[in-house]
């Protein structure tokens, strides 16, 4: 079952062999399509887009590139093949065979993880739905839609798990995934960052750099799961996720490169004078999306994380790189707030697992920022982008409700209020960035504020017609 079938619901899970499940998913399918048409990319549904479709779970040859209209995209349901003899790799059940069914005592915990993961997928599509009106090039427009359809497919993957393993409440949760709305006051999406507006392309690139990277770490932790269908689903989702982070990292890199080029062209060294985005403004959007994404790892000290690890449901990033998989009696040293002071303290390891995952994520983000700084250096400009402290601008966890500078100094609120406009995008920044967002739809052409990509998609030339406009 490696290759996707050509049924009404394309799949590699032998859906035809389970008539009840097939009927249930066929009942959900029109709701999904209604949601996609109402809340998906505005204005481009009937256009031919040069997209990658996953057609198998083979390492080579899983991707098929061709023009497709987004509502006709084959969303597909994929599980990676089952590995014979797989056992729990961590937690209280390590060494025992993994589960193919939901264990009753962990049903709620597991459902919550699947629903939280599933909720982010449609949320991001909703956040990005207006961006097609202002794409800086056809190349970028196509990449936006690629990201969007794959998030739609990831939603399908999570709904498959809900329908298959969670009975009636799974089906209800699947409906709710289409009912919540990003940013809605009454029915918001579950996690904070997924309710933030992504109202222009600089935010989109920061989102795909930092927020999709949270996706990489969360999916990798779930890919370790002892609930085997979840592990098999997440493993395949990670394959697609890599492109989303590529879009973000190279997107920002191209904006940075253009900023440097324009600095050198303008007599006053001001890229804004020539329709570019200056490096300090890029730093502010980095500060915003990085801090919002740090929140997605949950509290620093979390009994939920400890429970999920103990139950074998959610592991660490690349669990097999660690020697010890029980984590009883071990500790993690981290900063904590005690009596208004930041102190370094040991926390029982299982309770510190959100922070352990966040620490891996931070290292990965730093590698990306280092590459941006290399671009700046190569352009001969003296400026460095930096990741702010993990305490800066937090809304979840122990730093929330306290004010920290990007360097990590504890501040009083008055100082924070006076300075925050210099650290985070203010209204004038938003207005300026939005003023640059004019669509460029001529093949091979780029908006003034972004450099062209190093190479085209699927090795096609830059002037390729990635989206047919007629
Ligand atoms: N916003 O014990 P705590 C992706 C809640 S991105 C709002 O500290 P826990 C993608 C939490 O629910 C990856 N609420 O944290 C990227 C809990 O509520 P209850 C998405 C939050 O539970 C781009 C309470 O605070 N996948 O794929 O250990 C585009 C205390 O929680 C937030 C996942 O997240 C927040 N940021 O960890 C498309 C994986 N954080 O239960 C897609 C699945 C926490 O007290 N989810 N809360 O009502 C999880 O593993 C965990 O739920 C979390 C939270 C890591 C999110």
């Amino acid at each position: 079952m490696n290759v996707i079938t050509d049924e009404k619901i394309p799949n590699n899970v032998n859906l035809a062999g389970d008539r009840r499940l097939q009927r249930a998913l066929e009942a959900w399918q029109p709701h999904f399509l209604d949601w996609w048409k109402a809340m998906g990319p505005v204005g481009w549904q009937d256009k031919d887009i040069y997209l990658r479709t996953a057609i198998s779970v083979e390492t080579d040859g899983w991707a098929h590139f061709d023009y497709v209209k987004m509502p006709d995209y084959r969303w597909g349901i994929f599980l990676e093949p089952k590995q014979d003899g797989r056992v729990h790799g961590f937690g209280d059940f390590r060494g025992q065979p993994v589960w193919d069914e939901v264990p009753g005592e962990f049903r709620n915990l597991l459902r919550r993880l699947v629903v939280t993961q599933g909720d982010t997928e449609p949320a991001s599509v909703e956040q990005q739905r207006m961006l097609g009106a202002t794409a800086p090039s056809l190349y970028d427009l196509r990449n936006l839609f690629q990201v969007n359809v794959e998030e739609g497919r990831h939603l399908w993957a999570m709904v498959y798990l809900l329908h298959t393993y969670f009975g009636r409440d799974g089906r209800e949760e699947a409906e709710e995934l289409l009912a919540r709305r990003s940013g809605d006051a009454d029915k918001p999406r579950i996690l904070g960052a997924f309710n933030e507006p992504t109202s222009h392309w600089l935010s989109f690139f920061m989102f795909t750099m930092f927020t999709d990277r949270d996706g990489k770490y969360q999916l990798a932790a779930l890919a370790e799961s002892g609930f085997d269908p979840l592990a098999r689903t997440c493993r395949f989702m990670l394959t697609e996720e890599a492109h989303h982070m590529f879009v973000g990292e190279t997107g920002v890199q191209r904006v940075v490169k253009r900023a440097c080029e324009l600095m050198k062209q303008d007599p006053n060294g001001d890229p804004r004078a020539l329709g570019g985005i200056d490096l300090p403004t890029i730093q502010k959007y980095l500060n915003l999306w990085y801090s919002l994404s740090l929140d997605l790892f949950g509290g620093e000290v979390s009994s939920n994380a400890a429970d999920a690890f103990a139950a074998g449901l959610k592991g660490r990033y690349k669990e097999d790189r660690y020697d010890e998989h029980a984590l009883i009696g071990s500790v993690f040293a981290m900063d904590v707030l005690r009596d208004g002071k930041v102190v370094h303290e040991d926390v029982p390891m299982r309770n510190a697992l959100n922070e352990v995952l966040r620490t891996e994520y931070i290292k990965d983000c730093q590698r990306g920022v280092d590459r941006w700084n290399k671009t700046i250096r190569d352009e001969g400009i003296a400026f460095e982008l930096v990741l702010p402290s993990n305490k800066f601008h937090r809304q979840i966890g122990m730093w929330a409700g306290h004010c920290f500078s990007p360097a990590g100094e504890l501040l009083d609120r008055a100082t924070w209020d006076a300075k925050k406009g210099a650290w985070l995008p203010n209204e004038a920044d938003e207005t300026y960035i939005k003023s640059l967002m004019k669509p460029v739809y001529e093949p091979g052409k780029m908006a003034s504020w972004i450099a062209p990509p190093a190479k085209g998609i699927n090795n096609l030339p830059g002037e390729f017609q990635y989206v047919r406009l007629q």
Side-chain angles (χ1 to χ4, degrees):
M1 287 305 289
N2 282 355
V3 179
I4 196 166
T5 58
D6 218 354
E7 294 159 51
K8 188 170 174 207
I9 299 178
N11 69 91
N12 76 331
V13 293
N14 189 21
L15 197 55
D18 186 341
R19 286 292 299 144
R20 262 183 65 169
L21 177 62
Q22 188 178 37
R23 270 200 301 274
L25 282 168
E26 282 180 1
W28 186 79
Q29 190 176 32
H31 301 172
F32 168 79
L33 282 173
D34 287 349
W35 166 81
W36 177 268
K37 285 179 190 151
M39 297 311 296
V42 172
W44 297 91
Q45 301 282 351
D46 59 347
K47 299 284 190 283
D48 289 328
I49 326 278
Y50 186 75
L51 291 177
R52 168 180 86 174
T53 304
I55 52 163
S56 82
V57 289
E58 303 287 354
T59 321
D60 298 323
W62 64 271
H64 174 76
F65 287 86
D66 205 350
Y67 285 104
V68 53
K69 292 184 183 26
M70 284 186 276
D72 301 334
Y73 187 77
R74 294 163 78 210
W75 313 93
I77 300 166
F78 291 92
L79 290 185
E80 288 214 344
K82 194 167 167 52
Q83 292 167 8
D84 286 336
R86 184 168 176 253
V87 294
H88 281 261
F90 61 90
D92 295 346
F93 300 92
R94 68 195 178 289
Q96 298 182 25
V98 288
W99 300 311
D100 289 316
E101 296 295 333
V102 177
E105 69 267 45
F106 303 128
R107 197 168 190 279
N108 287 347
L109 181 55
L110 191 52
R111 192 185 57 208
R112 201 177 80 105
L113 289 174
V114 174
V115 166
T116 308
Q117 177 63 49
D119 190 70
T120 63
E121 316 290 359
S124 67
V125 174
E126 291 167 0
Q127 285 170 295
Q128 296 161 15
R129 62 195 289 266
M130 304 306 289
L131 293 175
T134 56
S137 71
L138 285 188
Y139 165 90
D140 291 293
L141 185 63
R142 175 266 169 213
N143 281 347
L144 166 72
F145 297 149
Q146 184 70 57
V147 168
N148 290 162
V149 292
E150 284 174 353
E151 302 303 4
R153 202 200 68 69
H154 295 178
L155 170 62
W156 266 100
M158 289 299 124
V159 165
Y160 167 74
L161 292 179
L162 288 170
H163 273 229
T164 310
Y165 298 100
F166 293 92
R168 175 202 277 263
D169 43 334
R171 289 192 293 277
E172 285 168 6
E173 292 284 10
E175 290 300 328
E176 284 297 302
L177 289 174
L178 299 177
R180 285 185 286 271
R181 289 284 178 269
S182 175
D184 190 285
D186 299 325
K187 254 183 167 302
R189 291 294 172 182
I190 295 171
L191 298 176
F194 293 91
N195 290 301
E196 292 290 324
T198 313
S199 43
H200 51 69
W201 281 76
L202 182 56
S203 279
F204 171 67
F205 290 136
M206 291 294 179
F207 180 98
T208 38
M209 168 73 184
F210 292 114
T211 310
D212 275 278
R213 197 171 303 273
D214 167 57
K216 167 182 166 182
Y217 281 81
Q218 298 296 342
L219 289 172
L222 296 175
E224 300 289 339
S225 186
F227 176 55
D228 206 35
L230 178 62
R232 291 164 62 200
T233 314
C234 290
R235 262 186 262 142
F236 189 71
M237 287 161 73
L238 277 166
T239 314
E240 288 164 318
E241 203 68 35
H243 175 69
H244 304 192
M245 286 175 292
F246 163 85
V247 168
E249 186 180 325
T250 59
V252 175
Q253 188 264 340
R254 290 160 54 212
V255 182
V256 164
K257 185 167 194 289
R258 189 71 182 139
C260 296
E261 290 167 358
L262 295 177
M263 277 171 87
K264 290 185 281 186
Q265 282 172 31
D266 181 62
N268 300 317
D270 177 13
R272 285 199 185 200
L274 298 174
I277 305 176
D278 51 296
L279 295 171
T281 302
I282 296 171
Q283 176 70 58
K284 288 187 187 182
Y285 282 92
L286 181 165
N287 290 349
L288 176 66
W289 283 102
Y290 174 67
S291 55
L292 289 171
S293 304
L294 287 179
D295 279 338
L296 295 173
F297 290 81
E300 284 70 15
V301 180
S302 165
S303 59
N304 287 340
D307 291 346
F309 185 87
L313 299 180
K314 184 177 175 189
R316 288 168 293 181
Y317 181 69
K318 299 201 171 156
E319 191 61 49
D320 56 3
R321 290 187 320 183
Y322 294 91
D323 296 330
E324 215 275 287
H325 302 284
L327 305 187
I328 297 167
S330 55
V331 292
F332 188 73
M334 63 161 96
D335 281 355
V336 296
L337 205 54
R338 286 264 171 270
D339 307 322
K341 286 211 175 63
V342 178
V343 294
H344 212 56
E345 240 177 40
D346 286 344
V347 172
M349 187 62 92
R350 284 188 175 189
N351 292 86
L353 286 171
N354 286 343
E355 191 62 6
V356 170
L357 196 61
R358 187 164 22 232
T359 304
E360 291 300 311
Y361 166 83
I362 290 172
K363 284 191 230 159
D364 202 21
C365 290
Q366 185 61 54
R367 286 191 284 271
V369 173
D370 289 346
R371 286 189 285 270
W372 294 341
N373 283 329
K374 179 173 185 312
T375 297
I376 300 175
R377 274 198 311 279
D378 290 349
E379 290 290 327
I381 300 285
F383 188 95
E384 206 166 70
L385 292 165
V386 284
L387 289 178
S389 157
N390 61 346
K391 306 178 184 70
F392 170 77
H393 186 234
R394 291 291 303 280
Q395 284 150 75
I396 295 285
M398 72 170 78
W399 313 115
H402 303 277
C403 304
F404 287 90
S405 71
E409 302 140 335
L410 190 54
L411 305 174
D412 57 63
R413 190 152 292 277
T415 312
W416 166 262
D417 286 341
K419 296 239 174 115
K420 79 169 186 228
W423 293 330
L424 291 167
N426 56 38
E427 247 180 77
D429 297 319
E430 272 290 282
T431 306
Y432 175 67
I433 302 295
K434 283 183 186 161
S435 78
L436 295 178
M437 298 294 132
K438 307 258 163 45
V440 177
Y441 295 149
E442 208 181 311
K445 293 274 180 314
M446 291 287 138
S448 60
W449 52 271
I450 188 163
K455 62 181 181 115
I457 292 298
N458 202 20
N459 288 322
L460 287 162
E463 60 276 12
F464 183 74
Q465 182 94 40
Y466 290 103
V467 177
R468 288 190 183 133
L469 300 174
Q470 65 282 17

